[in-house]
Amino acid sequence: MVSIRASSSFLCFLSCTLLSLLLPSFLHAQQVYVNNTQFQCYVNHSNTLGFLCNGQQTKCNSYLIFRSDSKINSVPDISFLLNADSAEVARINNASVFQTFPIGREVVVPVSCSCSGKYYQYNSSYVLEPDDTYLRIANDTYQALTTCQALIAQNPYSSTNLPIRSKVMVPLMCACPTRNQTRNGVKFLLTYPIAEGEYASKIAAKFGVDEQGILDANEITEDTTIYFFTPLLIPFKSEPPSWSQILNPSPPSSPPLPSPSPSPPSPVGEGHKKWVFVGVGIGLGLGFLLLAVISSLLVVCLRRRRRRRGEGLAPASPTQKRQKLTESSVSYGDMSGKKSSTVISENLLDAVRSLTVYKYEELQRATDGFSEDSLIKGSVYRAVINGDQAAVKSMKGDVPNEIKVLKQINHSNVIRLSGFCIHEGNTFLVYEFAENGSLSDWIHGHRYQDDQSWSKSTCSLSWKQRMQIAFDVADGLSYLHNYTSPAHVHKNLKSSNILLDDKFRAKIANFGLARAVGDQEDGLHLTRHVFGTQGYMAPEYLEHGLITWKLDVFAFGVVLLELLSGREAVDQAHVQYKGEVLLSSAIGPILEGDDAKEKLRSFIDPSLGSDYPLDLALVIARLASECVADDMNSRPSMTDVLMTLSASTGWSSSSASTYESAVLK
C-alpha cells in the first residue's frame, strides 16, 4: 500500500512537471473562481486571498464594477472609496465629475492592477467605524471586491478587536490577462460582483462578450454554481462599456440545463484511434498518447486533493443552483446590518461644483513632478497653471471640511481655493499663491543666540505692516464669525496659518479644523477630541473641550503678541523667563505697575528699533492681553477688536499724533 501511494505521488509530481513543460498556456489560462468561500473568514482558501499573478504582465490597467447605493452614489464618493481617479471614473461612465448615479447603477471604475507578492491587487484604504468587522467591510462596504480573508492577512488588527478610527488597507481583487487570453485578443479584465439571479450567459449578454471566455477566465463550466455577491472576472478585448452602452437583453427564465455527460469512449475505440495515429505517424501518436496519460493522471490527482478538502461535490441541478443562490443571499443579508458611511456628503458636492477639477497629470506638470525645487514647505508646492502661479497642497485621504468651508467664504483676507484633484487616496487642493509666504517666517526670522545677543534677519516687517496684518486677520475672523451661515470657528489660527501676498496683506489659511458653531448667542459646543497647537489653544478648550468663537479671539491675541514681540507662542528663549513660558502668560506682568511702558519697550521686537509709537504699542498690548484672558467672557468679540484696530493701518510717522488720539481717546 505504501509503495502504491508513493508511486501515485511520484506520478502526480511527474505529470504536473511534464504538463507544465508541454502546456504552459494551459496553466496560465485562468483564475480559480472564489466560489462561496469568502464567508469563511477564518479559513484561508488560496482563492480568497486574491487572483494569482499568472499573467504576462505584473502590472496592467484593470476595471471594477461598483453598484451605487443610498450612501455611496456619486463619482467623488465612489472614487474616494476605491482610491480611483475621479476624472477617469467620470470619463468612462460618460458622467460629470460630480454626477450622482441612481441606486443600483453599475459604475465602471478604472484601476491600476499590480502583483503584490503572490496575488494581483489594487490597494485602497478605509477608516474603521463602530461595529465594523472585516466581513462587513468586504461584503457590505466594498461589495465583495475584496474578502475578509485578504483583509485579515494584510492588516495588523485582530478581527475581534478593530480599533475605531484606525485605517486599514483594502486589497481590491483585480487581474491581468494571461498568455492565452492575450493571444485571443483579451486586453482587459473586469472584476464583477455577481448580482442575485445572474449566471454566466446572462452576464455575457449584458456586456456583449463571449460566454466561454468568462467560463475559461474563472475555471468554471456551464454546470458550475456561481453565487450571489462573489467576484467574477469578465474578459474584454477593448475598454469595458459604460452603463449607457451596456446591452440588457431579456434574460432566459432559468439557467441553461446542464448537457448530459458524454459516455466514456470504449477501449476498442481508443485502440482503433491509436492504430490510426500509428498509421499517420508513430511519433505523433505517441505524443498524443503521452498527453492523454499525463492528463488522466492529473485529473486523478486533482480529484484526490478535492476529496481531501471535502470539495468533491456532484454537479448541481438548476433547481439546486437557485436554492443555493437564495441561501447565499440570506446568509449575506444577515451579516450586512451596517450601512456604509458617506465619504463625501451631498452638501460638499454642492459646495465644490464651481471648483476646477484637475487631473493628476496636470498638477504633476505644474509642479515639475512635485520636485524639491517646487516644494514651498511641508506638503505645499509652487505650481504654474495656465501661466499663473498657484499653491498645491497634498493631503492624505479626504478633506471635505476644508473644501466645504472655503467655498462658503468670499473674503479678501481668506485664502481662495480654486480647484482640487483626488488621486490614489490623496487629495490635492489648489489655492491662490501667496508670494510672501507665512507670517511666522517673517516675524520669527530673528532669534536670540546662545550668547543672548540678538541675531537680526534681513527680513523684517515694519510697524505699519504689522498693524495692517493684524487688521486683515481680525477682518477675516470677524467675517467668519458674523457673516457666514452658519457661523464658523477657525480653531487653528496661528502665525504659520496666516499667509502674506505680494503687498503683505494677510490671508487666513488651513481650514481643516474649522467648525460651524451657529450664532454668537448659542454657539456653544463640546468635543472630546482636542486638536491644535500649543500656545494658541484657549484654557476652556484645553480643559473642557468647549468650542466657541472666543477660541479664535484667544488665538488672535497670541498672534498679536507675536507681531508685537517677534517671539513665538511658546517662548523658551527669552532670558527674562525660566523654562517654558507661554507668550499669552508673559504679557500680564509686563502691563502691571507704573513702569509698564519701560517693560513693554524691552518686550517689543528689537528689529523695529524705535520706529513705532510706544503709547500706541501699549494700547495694542492691552488689547492682546484682553484677547488672551483666561475667562472667555472677558474677551472682546472680533467686531470689537476690529474697531480698535481700524485706525492702526493708517499710521505713519507724520500722522502719529492723530492716530494715537483716535485710539487712546
Side-chain angles (χ1 to χ4, degrees):
M1 180 66 70
V2 174
S3 62
I4 292 174
R5 288 181 179 176
S7 299
S8 176
S9 299
F10 174 75
L11 287 173
C12 287
F13 171 76
L14 179 62
S15 62
C16 291
T17 303
L18 291 174
L19 194 58
S20 65
L21 294 173
L22 294 173
L23 298 174
S25 60
F26 173 79
L27 288 179
H28 295 277
Q30 49 208 356
Q31 299 284 354
V32 179
Y33 171 57
V34 72
N35 210 311
N36 203 25
T37 54
Q38 86 275 16
F39 293 112
Q40 304 168 12
C41 292
Y42 303 102
V43 180
N44 273 338
H45 301 281
S46 61
N47 57 351
T48 60
L49 297 178
F51 293 123
L52 290 172
C53 285
N54 63 356
Q56 278 192 303
Q57 300 171 299
T58 58
K59 185 175 183 180
C60 66
N61 292 327
S62 184
Y63 299 88
L64 313 173
I65 285 289
F66 185 89
R67 293 183 179 89
S68 62
D69 57 32
S70 59
K71 295 294 184 180
I72 301 178
N73 52 25
S74 68
V75 170
D77 285 352
I78 296 170
S79 300
F80 184 79
L81 180 70
L82 300 181
N83 189 22
D85 187 325
S86 56
E88 279 297 292
V89 174
R91 178 193 64 79
I92 196 170
N93 291 281
N94 295 326
S96 70
V97 291
F98 302 111
Q99 182 159 328
T100 299
F101 300 104
I103 293 176
R105 176 62 50 79
E106 293 181 350
V107 181
V108 181
V109 181
V111 297
S112 179
C113 189
S114 60
C115 284
S116 178
K118 187 178 178 182
Y119 302 99
Y120 283 118
Q121 65 187 51
Y122 178 74
N123 294 334
S124 185
S125 61
Y126 175 78
V127 178
L128 294 168
E129 297 185 355
D131 301 325
D132 265 332
T133 65
Y134 282 130
L135 184 62
R136 284 175 175 170
I137 295 169
N139 290 346
D140 184 8
T141 305
Y142 284 89
Q143 301 183 359
L145 291 173
T146 187
T147 65
C148 54
Q149 292 93 336
L151 289 169
I152 292 171
Q154 299 196 35
N155 285 286
Y157 307 118
S158 167
S159 57
T160 58
N161 186 26
L162 295 180
I164 299 173
R165 290 185 296 277
S166 296
K167 185 178 289 187
V168 294
M169 188 180 76
V170 181
L172 301 174
M173 298 182 74
C174 61
C176 298
T178 62
R179 185 181 307 170
N180 268 7
Q181 288 171 329
T182 302
R183 287 174 180 170
N184 292 329
V186 174
K187 295 182 179 179
F188 308 105
L189 293 175
L190 177 144
T191 307
Y192 179 80
I194 301 169
E196 187 172 6
E198 287 189 322
Y199 38 88
S201 61
K202 182 176 180 180
I203 296 170
K206 173 191 288 188
F207 288 101
V209 299
D210 178 44
E211 178 187 1
Q212 190 60 47
I214 295 178
L215 299 178
D216 292 342
N218 297 276
E219 280 195 359
I220 59 176
T221 68
E222 291 180 353
D223 299 329
T224 303
T225 301
I226 60 175
Y227 294 89
F228 165 52
F229 244 63
T230 55
L232 203 66
L233 285 175
I234 314 296
F236 286 91
K237 295 184 179 181
S238 59
E239 191 173 63
S242 68
W243 61 266
S244 60
Q245 300 168 320
I246 289 176
L247 301 175
N248 289 290
S250 299
S253 57
S254 63
L257 293 173
S259 57
S261 301
S263 57
S266 65
V268 176
E270 284 196 8
H272 176 69
K273 286 184 179 180
K274 184 172 68 175
W275 287 112
V276 171
F277 291 148
V278 170
V280 175
I282 295 176
L284 184 61
L286 289 175
F288 274 103
L289 182 60
L290 178 62
L291 182 60
V293 171
I294 293 172
S295 300
S296 300
L297 289 173
L298 182 61
V299 169
V300 171
C301 293
L302 290 175
R303 285 180 177 174
R304 181 173 297 172
R305 289 179 183 177
R306 286 180 179 175
R307 281 197 297 270
R308 289 174 184 171
R309 296 178 184 176
E311 295 178 354
L313 301 178
S317 66
T319 303
Q320 290 173 321
K321 289 180 185 179
R322 287 192 292 272
Q323 182 179 357
K324 287 184 179 180
L325 281 171
T326 304
E327 291 172 356
S328 177
S329 302
V330 172
S331 174
Y332 169 74
D334 291 341
M335 300 173 183
S336 60
K338 182 180 179 299
K339 298 296 183 183
S340 302
S341 60
T342 303
V343 179
I344 300 179
S345 66
E346 291 183 6
N347 290 335
L348 176 60
L349 292 177
D350 293 335
V352 300
R353 290 188 193 280
S354 61
L355 293 176
T356 300
V357 180
Y358 293 96
K359 289 187 176 181
Y360 180 69
E361 291 74 18
E362 292 180 273
L363 299 186
Q364 273 191 313
R365 290 193 298 270
T367 59
D368 193 22
F370 294 96
S371 66
E372 289 189 9
D373 291 339
S374 299
L375 184 64
I376 298 175
K377 190 176 184 180
S379 60
V380 181
Y381 296 82
R382 183 194 304 266
V384 178
I385 301 175
N386 297 326
D388 296 323
Q389 290 196 90
V392 177
K393 183 177 182 180
S394 172
M395 306 177 73
K396 288 287 184 183
D398 186 23
V399 287
N401 191 60
E402 183 153 3
I403 297 176
K404 185 177 179 181
V405 173
L406 285 175
K407 286 309 298 177
Q408 297 182 54
I409 300 173
N410 182 19
H411 194 277
S412 60
N413 298 124
V414 174
I415 199 73
R416 180 173 56 84
L417 177 68
S418 62
F420 75 102
C421 167
I422 299 175
H423 177 72
E424 294 186 352
N426 295 322
T427 301
F428 299 86
L429 301 181
V430 182
Y431 299 95
E432 65 175 308
F433 186 71
E435 289 84 349
N436 280 308
S438 71
L439 174 61
S440 63
D441 290 338
W442 285 84
I443 58 178
H444 301 315
H446 328 285
R447 295 287 184 273
Y448 281 102
Q449 297 179 342
D450 293 338
D451 60 0
Q452 300 180 9
S453 63
W454 184 255
S455 172
K456 194 167 186 177
S457 169
T458 56
C459 300
S460 180
L461 296 172
S462 68
W463 174 263
K464 183 176 180 179
Q465 286 174 323
R466 294 175 194 231
M467 292 301 99
Q468 179 67 64
I469 290 167
F471 179 84
D472 288 344
V473 175
D475 196 11
L477 288 177
S478 178
Y479 179 87
L480 195 65
H481 294 175
N482 298 288
Y483 300 102
T484 58
S485 181
H488 280 77
V489 175
H490 186 280
K491 279 186 65 186
N492 196 23
L493 185 72
K494 53 185 176 180
S495 56
S496 60
N497 285 338
I498 298 169
L499 304 180
L500 305 177
D501 67 10
D502 59 338
K503 295 181 175 61
F504 287 92
R505 300 301 297 269
K507 295 179 181 292
I508 303 171
N510 197 347
F511 282 75
L513 297 181
R515 176 163 176 176
V517 293
D519 58 41
Q520 295 184 7
E521 296 298 324
D522 60 1
L524 298 176
H525 296 266
L526 292 173
T527 181
R528 294 181 180 179
H529 309 292
V530 175
F531 297 99
T533 303
Q534 186 179 12
Y536 295 94
M537 293 183 286
E540 70 276 7
Y541 178 61
L542 276 172
E543 295 172 12
H544 308 294
L546 184 61
I547 300 173
T548 71
W549 50 275
K550 292 293 184 76
L551 199 63
D552 286 345
V553 176
F554 184 94
F556 174 80
V558 177
V559 171
L560 201 53
L561 292 173
E562 289 181 272
L563 286 166
L564 280 173
S565 67
R567 299 171 187 171
E568 298 189 37
V570 179
D571 184 8
Q572 303 179 45
H574 198 271
V575 295
Q576 293 183 11
Y577 307 103
K578 295 181 179 180
E580 183 178 272
V581 176
L582 299 180
L583 192 57
S584 58
S585 302
I587 189 62
I590 291 174
L591 298 178
E592 294 174 353
D594 297 333
D595 58 344
K597 283 188 179 181
E598 291 306 314
K599 288 188 289 184
L600 181 62
R601 195 187 300 275
S602 63
F603 178 77
I604 288 178
D605 191 342
S607 69
L608 286 170
S610 58
D611 295 334
Y612 64 92
L614 183 58
D615 287 338
L616 179 58
L618 183 60
V619 172
I620 300 300
R622 286 174 176 162
L623 174 63
S625 181
E626 291 178 7
C627 290
V628 297
D630 287 341
D631 180 8
M632 69 176 191
N633 294 318
S634 299
R635 297 173 207 152
S637 68
M638 288 311 304
T639 302
D640 295 334
V641 171
L642 193 60
M643 291 177 63
T644 304
L645 290 171
S646 60
S648 64
T649 55
W651 180 86
S652 65
S653 56
S654 61
S655 59
S657 59
T658 303
Y659 172 78
E660 290 178 37
S661 62
V663 176
L664 295 173
K665 64 180 180 180

